[in-house]
Each structure stands twice: as C-alpha cells, then as structure tokens.
Amino acid sequence: AAARPVELWQLILSYLYLPDLGRCSLVCRAWYELVLSLDKTRWRQLCLGCLEHRHPNWPNQPGMEPRSWREAFKQHYLASKTWTKNTQDLESSNCLSLFRRRKGRRRLCVGVGGEFGSLRAALAAASPYDRLVLLPGVHEEQGEVLLKVPVEVVGHGKLGDVALLASIDQHCPTARLCNMVFMPARFTSVLYKTTSGYVQFDNCNFESGQLQIHAPGTCQVKFCTFSQSSIHLRSMALCVLENCEFTGSENASVTVEGCPSSDRNWACKHLAVLAKSCTASMWEPDPAGCPVAKRDGWGESLLEPVRTCEIVVGEERSSFLSAVDAQALLGSAQEDTEFGESLRAAKEEGYQALNSNSSDSDLCSDDEEDAQAAYKLPYKAHSLSHTLADVTHSRLQSNRLHALQRDLKLKSLQQELQQDKEAQSLANSLQGCIIRECLFRDGKGGIFIYSRGQAKLEGSIFRDLTYAVRCIQNSKVIMLRNDIHHCRASGIFLRLSAGGLIADNNIHSNCEAGVDIRKGANPLVLCNKIHSGLRSGIVVVGNGKGIIRSNQIYGNKEAGIYILYNGNPAVSGNHIFQGLAAGIAVNENGRGQITGNVICENQWGGADIRHGGDPVLRNNLISCGYSDGVVVGERGKGLIEGNTIYGNKGCGVWMMSSSLPHLINNQISHNSIYGVAVFCHKDDAGDYPPSQGANENFQEEREGAGGENDPDIEEEYLAARRPISVALVELNSINHNGAAGLHVKSSEALNIIANVIHANRDGGVAVLQSSQLTRIANNSISCNSRRGVLVEAECQVELRGNGIYDNSSHGIVSKGEGVIMENDIIGNHRCGLQLLQAADMKVTNNRIQSFRDYGIALFDEAKGLVQENLIFQGRSKKSILRPVSNAEDCIIQNNVLLTFKKRFDMECMLINPPARPHMEGGATGSCTAAGGQRVSSITTRVDGGCHNHGSIFCTIL
C-alpha cells in the first residue's frame, strides 16, 4: 500500500463519506495530510452537496472560492449543531450527550404519504430533539402553532419544494428550522416569534412576513432569503445573521430595538464562540480581497520635482498635478484614461508659478548682481531669517514637504486600532445583533437601530436602497468592511446622540451624503473610502460631532466633508481629493477641528469657510487644487494655522477681511495667482461656487441652530482661541506665488504682522483698496519680482518695523496716506521709497538704501513729512529726489545721508539696531511649534500706544 502513488490514494479517498474521512484521518500522520489535501475535491463536494447551507460566499461572492472548503464545511457543521447545546449534561460531556440524544431521537414525516397530516399533529406527538421532516408540498396551518418542545423541522428535497403557511410561537428553549419557504398565514404577517428561547434558521426563504425575536430569546439565521420580509430584534444580548439576502423591503429589513439585555440566553456563549472564530477568519489578509493593504496612502515620492505629489487610491495610482513636470505624471496615470486626459489638458494650459528648483538669484540681471556684489549688505540676520533661509533653498523646501508626506501618510485600520483603544474595544465587541456577509438590495431600508439598540455589521453589501443604515436615539452601530452604494438618500444616517464605529467601508455613488451625522451623534469614522457621491462625502449637521480620521474621500460632487449648523467634528489624517467642489466646506455656524489632512486636487477651495463657519484649520496640506487653497467667504471666520498651502491654480488663501479670519504660521507657496488675497466685496457667483449643498434638507437643523452648545465644549473651544477684532495675517511664509504675495482690496481694517513674503512673481504686498487702516508691521519682504510694497491712492496704511530687501523694482511705492516708520528698505533695484500723485505719508526713522536709484523720490503732488531717516547712498550717489517746486505741504528735514568708503562701513550699516524685522527673543518664541502649539506671546519694537480700533500689538500681548 505504501508503494502506491499519492494521487491514487487521493482518488480513492475522494469517494468516501464524511464519517469514513474522519476515521481515515486518525490512521496516521500521512493519512491525515492526505485527507486535508482533498480540499478542492471531496471537501468541496461535501460542502456544496449539503442541503442545509449554500455556497460559503453566498450571496455576495458566490463565484469566489473560500480559502478552505474543509474549514467552511466545519464552520457550517458546528453552527448547525448550536441548537442542541442547551442541556447541562452537554457541558460536562459532549460525546455522551450526543450519543444519548441520538439513541432516542425519532424522525417524523409530515405531509402526503407521511405519518402525520399536519405540522400541528406532528408537534403534539413529538419528543424533545425529534426531527420533523416536511415532505414536498404546501403545508398550511389555520391557527397559531405553539412550539412547546425542542425539535428540528426540516424540509425534504430542494429549497422551494416545501412551503409552510403558518405563524409559529416558540415556547421551548431551542429549535431549528431548515430548508423551507415561510409564507404568512391569512390572519397575521408574523411568520415566527419567540420571547425566551433560541431559534436557528438555515437555508430558508421568508416571503412577505416578519420574524420577531425578543430578549431573552435569541436567534441564528444563516443562508436565508428575505423577500419583502423583515426581522425585528428587541433587546438582543447577542444574535447572529450570516450570509442572508434581503430584497424588496417596504421599511427596514432588520430593526434592532432596545438596549442589549443583561438576561442572556443559554445560547449566547455558543454564538459568541462562533462569532469570534468567523471574525478571526475574516480579518486574515487576503491578496485577492478588499484592497486595504494597497491603499495605505501616498507613493514613496511626494515631490519629484518639488511640485509633484502622488496618491494611491484602491488599486489604481493617480497623481496630483505638477507645475513643473506634468509629463512625468502622465505615465503614472495611464491606468486611468480620463484622469490622464485631464493631466494633458492641464499640461497644455500650464502653471505660471515659479519653478521651485530655480534660485532667487534668477530674478536679477547680471548688472544687478554686480551691484549687489559691490554693495553686499548684512540684512539676512533679522528675526525671521530662519524662515527666509528655508524658502530660498529649494532643497530645504523639498525636504520639508517629504517630511510632511511622511507625517501625513494615511494610516491603515490596524494602525488606528493599535493607537486608539476605544476604537479597538468597539471593533472587538460582540453585543447586540451581529450581521455578517449579508446582502441588502432593492428596497427601502437596510438596518434601523433605535432606542439604545446595538448592532455590528461586517462584510455586507447595501445597494439600491433608500438608506443603508439608520442609527438614532443613543444607539450604537459598528460597521466594518461593508460596501454601501447607490442609495437614494444618505448611505449611513446617525442622529440623536447615536454613536459607534464606522471603519474600513467602501461607501460610494449615493444620492445624498455617504455618512450623515446630526443632532448630537458622535461616531468614530475611520479608514473608509467615501467617493463618487452625488452630494457630499460626509455631512455633520445640527450639533453633530464625531471623529473622522484616516479616510479617503474623493470624487464627490459636493464638498468632501460639509460642516454646518453647529456641527463640530474632529477631522484629522484624511486624504480628501479630486472632489468636484470644495475639499472641506464649513458653513452656517459650523465649527470643527480640522488637522493633519491632505486636501488636494479639488475643483473649488481646498477649505471653504462662509456664513458664520468658524473652524480650526491646522497643520493640513492643501495643494494642487484647481481653484484657491483656502476660501474664507462672507461672514466666515476661523483659525487657519500651520498649514502648507501649495501649488493651487488660484490663490493660496482668498479671504474677506470683514470675516475676521486669523491666518497664522502657514506655508503659502507656488500658487498660480496671489499667495493671500484679501477682499471686502461679496463672492462673485461667476468665480466662486454657491453655498455647498444648498438643496440639502436641513430645515430641522436650521430651526434649532440657535440652541445652546455643550458648555464644556464651548469653554474648551474659547480657551483654544485668541479673540481678534480685526482680520489678522501673521507669521506666515508667503513665497514663490504667481502674482503678488499679499493682495489687499478691502474696506475693512487688516493687520499683516511678522510674515516672510519672498520671491513672488509680482510684488510682495499690494494694497489696492483700503478705506480703513491696513497695518503692515514686522514683515520680511524680499526678492519679489516687482515692488516690495505698493499702496494705491486713497488707501490708508501703516508700515512699521518691516525689512524690505532686494525686490526687483522699488522698495515701497505709495499713492495713499499713512505712516512709514522704522523700516529697513535696503538693496531694492529701483528707488527705496517712491511717493506719487496725491500721496500723504509720514516717513520717519527708516533706513533706506538703493543700488542704482534714489533712496526717496517724491513726484506729482506728493506731500507729508520726511524726517529723521538714515539714507545710505548707493552706486548712483542719489539720495532724495523732489522735483516739485511748490513744497509747502511736503516737509523734508533732519535726514542723515551716508556714503560708504570701505566695505567695513557697509557691514556695520544694519548693526545698531540690527536688521529688521525685530521680534523680541528672536524667532524662537514667535512661531508655532510643529505639533500645533499656539503662540504664547509676541512683542515688537513699535513705540506708541493703542490706535483707534485697538492696536494689533496690544492684541498680541
């Protein structure tokens, strides 16, 4: 026998039945391995040939083979015996119990040709654990059938051969029903109900009726079809629904009501063992299954060259738009033809932003470089020089962006669960209703959970429903690895303090929001793919909360995340991209902590804040958008801190000064138009989108929007914010943008404090309209392609304590009125200061030097006071030009003119005091830390008290 080949033994063993296979596996180790090797032959035949269950992956993937047919058969066999495990003697001796039970167990046949004519008669004669076999045909019971002894009722033949028209009320501790079609009796729609016992349904069809299971009763339902039928579960401690199909429901297919009961049925511990074993097999890695492992985030290279960033979505790799090398991206987008075409179109259109790989010296001509070499000035040692050094070296910028890529890499669910114990506890919980590998389709509702109910959904599909899951009234839902799509309303709807965990689901193509969170609901939303929706990806409305983390949200028709009516979620670590509107929209008094997200390639603003929206937007990467990076529209507010706003086709930040935004410590670079644009007029409907989701049904939330917020949350919110009364732009690095670094056209007051404005394609700061005072203080404005600062006619400005260096045209050009005091205006390629038309400026205590033009030039009807300035004569030996003969309104006095004889004299020029801008304690205490810590205190050298509307310096202190 030993000489026979293995293939022959496998052929022989493939003809054996299950008991014989068990005996053969006990012969020796070699035979045991032979029996295991029959997985795709004999074990497959046994599994598919059993009438009590269907294909292991039915109904969702009936064409996909399981990992092991033997293991699938084992799980089904063990599950089918759960109903027999209720006696005490079984706990002490499984084998003896089964032996005794089988010895006296009878088989009773019901129907034409059987021993009994009706099910009621057979039940009256049955002993415990008898097997009642319903012969093919229609079995109808006129009155309610009481099930008083534990029995097994099985239909004979194929599924569909036996139909039972009855209403059964179970009064015994356990029962099993298998291989039948249940239809309602004439007098009620209730097919089956139990209030105390355990019932097990295997391979049954339920048509046009309802199952009612009330605690402490419980159930296990496997491989069943519910056609226009539903199951109502009340206060379930634990029940299991597996591999079932629900179609054509008129209301919810599964209703879970009430808090899980503490009175646990005997079957709960056995169901928990089965549920844990199935959960373990579900979470084993499967290369052919859900592409979780392939979607962990970005490719290895974020920027090659600096402005190229890649992201992995599912199994496809797409790329964000590159300003410098779009052709390199076309190769990575070949798998997505439509996206590749959009990249080609973008390449033809082109960016106007400056190439990051070029140095700032490219802005200067050869003659100007010679002049700078002759008059090299030590102005780069000011308090913001560390920031300036970073933005002038493309390698440093690239390193920073690579570090940002590493920090913002999308986390997997396993990583999230390791770090978040609450999420881990929810994911591992086994309480309430467990629904696994089911299909809900073509009906009104999937699952409705209310009144503190609890349900756990794993690996199920919800499609073509009105809604997939509705969870309300302090209930809890745990959703893992489900597919939810083509719902006529929102996919998942939570309200009235509902909570739970929504993780690793694929939510797409729904007519309303993918996830809708309202009225105090507070779920954990982790590691989902939410995409291709006809409205927003996630909506947080009406005091809704929630933690939204590590999700991929893309391709939605409206905002990726939409927050309004006091919605206040924590949004972090998400990748929000390729949306057809804004990445994140905060509207109608919405709030939110929006931190550490990647918001890229959206059609409108990466973040859009309007109409009382007041979020904290911190440490996000907002890049490669087809419009502006951040939009703060009419009545928008918010703290915008520590973000990298990079490579957008519009402005880096577009905001209205009347909205009181606070823009602090952001990196705003390589955007195609302005770095920061400040306006006062209402949004132009032709240029900017209407309010996100204007047609959404938010009437209830709108009516309750004036309600009180949670006092603890409100106190925490206020403690984290520094109140401001004037729009504030401070401590930002604004560089290499396609137009002016900062563009102001506003009728409201504005404070521009301690920013680095460097190497922008147009001027550094352009104030085109400013009927109220614009304060520009302690900024470094350098190496811009045109003027350092432009002030148009009728504008009011205060320029104080700035360092204005090396700009390609004039240092300051002013046609307006105000104060220019204590600035260093050095090394600019035209005049240091030029006053034109009807300018009326007070120019005092400045240090001014120009390479080849006048230090100060006054033209037209310029007037004011030019006093006590220190003017260093440049190469042209020009100091002050005043061609106006009638100078009664223009006083020039007590200015000091210096001519250098030695290089040492030039090096000492900006020593006492040092080069501006000045920040007390240097830069160490002024900038926000990488971890998002707030600025504690900032002081300046500016003298004088508070001004009309309260000095910005007083505000900062």
Side-chain angles (χ1 to χ4, degrees), residues 495-533:
R495 64 187 297 173
L496 298 174
S497 301
L501 172 66
I502 300 170
D504 210 21
N505 302 284
N506 187 18
I507 304 169
H508 65 96
S509 307
N510 298 291
C511 292
E512 298 288 344
V515 181
D516 191 318
I517 303 169
R518 308 189 185 204
K519 291 191 175 181
N522 190 18
L524 273 167
V525 184
L526 307 179
C527 304
N528 301 282
K529 290 173 65 177
I530 303 173
H531 60 100
S532 309

Side-chain angles (χ1 to χ4, degrees), residues 39-40 44 48 55-57 61-69 286:
D39 189 78
K40 295 186 181 301
R44 184 177 186 276
L48 295 178
H55 190 287
N57 290 322
Q61 295 176 306
M64 177 181 169
E65 291 201 354
R67 295 186 183 91
S68 168
W69 286 98
D286 181 10

Side-chain angles (χ1 to χ4, degrees), residues 85-266:
K85 297 180 180 180
N86 68 308
T87 57
Q88 294 296 324
D89 58 344
L90 179 63
E91 297 179 7
S92 60
S93 176
N94 293 347
C95 296
L96 288 176
S97 173
L98 289 173
F99 176 76
R100 286 196 296 268
R101 191 167 298 140
R102 287 173 180 167
K103 186 176 181 180
R105 190 178 182 190
R106 296 182 300 168
R107 184 175 185 270
L108 308 179
C109 294
V110 181
V112 178
E115 306 165 41
F116 299 93
S118 68
L119 176 61
R120 191 188 304 272
L123 288 172
S127 300
Y129 303 101
D130 281 349
R131 182 183 181 96
L132 278 62
V133 179
L134 301 186
L135 299 177
V138 177
H139 301 260
E140 184 175 3
E141 299 292 337
Q142 299 300 323
E144 188 175 64
V145 177
L146 297 182
L147 202 60
K148 296 181 180 181
V149 293
V151 293
E152 182 179 31
V153 184
V154 180
H156 184 73
K158 296 180 181 180
L159 179 62
D161 291 347
V162 176
L164 178 62
L165 282 70
S167 177
I168 301 175
D169 187 357
Q170 178 181 333
H171 286 230
C172 58
T174 183
R176 178 174 185 252
L177 297 99
C178 176
N179 202 42
M180 293 184 293
V181 177
F182 286 83
M183 303 176 70
R186 294 189 178 98
F187 55 89
T188 181
S189 62
V190 176
L191 301 173
Y192 197 99
K193 65 181 178 181
T194 181
T195 57
S196 60
Y198 164 80
V199 61
Q200 182 171 324
F201 294 99
D202 291 317
N203 196 32
C204 292
N205 287 358
F206 300 93
E207 297 184 4
S208 305
Q210 185 183 76
L211 305 184
Q212 294 182 355
I213 315 294
H214 297 177
T218 186
C219 67
Q220 179 183 358
V221 185
K222 296 192 66 173
F223 297 104
C224 292
T225 298
F226 290 76
S227 176
Q228 295 183 334
S229 297
S230 62
I231 178 167
H232 189 108
L233 305 165
R234 180 178 295 171
S235 301
M236 287 291 97
L238 182 63
C239 68
V240 176
L241 278 64
E242 289 186 294
N243 298 92
C244 294
E245 181 179 23
F246 297 81
T247 63
S249 63
E250 295 180 357
N251 292 296
S253 297
V254 179
T255 300
V256 182
E257 173 193 359
C259 181
S261 172
S262 58
D263 185 6
R264 300 176 73 88
N265 188 291
W266 65 266

Side-chain angles (χ1 to χ4, degrees), residues 46-91:
L46 288 172
C47 194
L48 295 178
C50 182
L51 296 178
E52 297 182 358
H53 51 77
R54 311 185 194 188
H55 190 287
N57 290 322
W58 183 89
N60 293 334
Q61 295 176 306
M64 177 181 169
E65 291 201 354
R67 295 186 183 91
S68 168
W69 286 98
R70 174 182 170 276
E71 184 63 28
F73 184 80
K74 174 184 173 183
Q75 292 293 335
H76 296 327
Y77 180 83
L78 293 176
S80 69
K81 303 304 178 185
T82 303
W83 77 283
T84 64
K85 297 180 180 180
N86 68 308
T87 57
Q88 294 296 324
D89 58 344
L90 179 63
E91 297 179 7

Side-chain angles (χ1 to χ4, degrees), residues 559 561-563 581-588 594 599 604-611 613-615 617 622 627-634 636-637 640 654 683 687-692:
I561 298 177
Y562 187 28
I563 306 168
I584 297 178
V586 187
N587 214 323
E588 303 295 346
I594 301 167
I599 306 172
W604 297 110
D608 192 297
I609 305 166
R610 302 169 191 256
H611 302 295
D614 192 9
L617 192 68
I622 303 173
S627 183
D628 305 318
V630 176
V631 175
V632 185
E634 184 180 2
K637 303 177 185 177
I640 302 167
W654 188 101
D683 300 349
D687 295 333
Y688 292 93
S691 295
Q692 299 287 328

Side-chain angles (χ1 to χ4, degrees), residues 232-408:
H232 189 108
L233 305 165
R234 180 178 295 171
S235 301
M236 287 291 97
L238 182 63
C239 68
V240 176
L241 278 64
E242 289 186 294
N243 298 92
C244 294
E245 181 179 23
F246 297 81
T247 63
S249 63
E250 295 180 357
N251 292 296
S253 297
V254 179
T255 300
V256 182
E257 173 193 359
C259 181
S261 172
S262 58
D263 185 6
R264 300 176 73 88
N265 188 291
W266 65 266
C268 288
K269 64 178 181 180
H270 302 290
L271 292 177
V273 172
L274 288 172
K276 287 179 181 178
S277 64
C278 292
T279 300
S281 63
M282 276 189 66
W283 288 96
E284 290 175 5
D286 181 10
C290 186
V292 176
K294 299 182 182 180
R295 67 177 214 197
D296 278 353
W298 294 47
E300 291 300 323
S301 175
L302 174 67
L303 299 168
E304 297 209 2
V306 175
R307 299 195 59 192
T308 303
C309 37
E310 296 181 346
I311 190 164
V312 176
V313 183
E315 298 179 355
E316 298 177 356
R317 167 171 290 189
S318 61
S319 301
F320 291 135
L321 199 55
S322 168
V324 244
D325 195 4
Q327 184 61 42
L329 293 177
L330 294 178
S332 64
Q334 287 176 354
E335 296 180 10
D336 190 334
T337 306
E338 181 180 352
F339 188 54
E341 291 174 356
S342 69
L343 282 174
R344 290 185 181 89
K347 176 176 178 285
E348 293 170 2
E349 183 178 343
Y351 268 102
Q352 296 178 357
L354 184 67
N355 188 335
S356 302
N357 294 324
S358 63
S359 65
D360 300 326
S361 62
D362 294 340
L363 301 174
C364 307
S365 66
D366 294 340
D367 292 341
E368 290 164 347
E369 289 176 356
D370 293 342
Q372 291 182 34
Y375 290 89
K376 187 175 181 179
L377 301 174
Y379 61 80
K380 291 187 177 180
H382 54 72
S383 296
L384 297 177
S385 58
H386 70 294
T387 305
L388 184 62
D390 289 346
V391 303
T392 53
H393 294 87
S394 60
R395 182 176 297 276
L396 289 175
Q397 277 195 296
S398 177
N399 291 341
R400 183 190 302 111
L401 288 167
H402 279 287
L404 186 63
Q405 167 210 2
R406 183 178 62 251
D407 295 340
L408 298 182

Side-chain angles (χ1 to χ4, degrees), residues 766-774 776 787 789-799 812-820 833-843 857-866 889-890:
V767 183
L768 306 184
Q769 177 183 328
S770 177
S771 55
Q772 295 192 43
L773 188 61
T774 296
I776 304 172
R787 314 167 190 87
V789 178
L790 169 65
V791 180
E792 283 291 353
E794 300 181 359
C795 293
Q796 299 184 48
V797 298
E798 177 184 310
L799 280 155
I812 299 175
V813 175
S814 177
K815 304 173 187 177
E817 57 187 68
V819 175
I820 301 174
L833 169 63
Q834 190 178 74
L835 304 182
L836 302 174
Q837 298 179 8
D840 185 1
M841 306 295 294
K842 180 181 179 182
V843 183
L858 299 92
F859 295 99
D860 306 325
E861 300 176 4
K863 58 185 178 180
L865 174 65
V866 180
D889 296 327
C890 186

Side-chain angles (χ1 to χ4, degrees), residues 9 274 761 830:
W9 281 113
L274 288 172
R761 273 293 193 185
R830 299 287 302 277

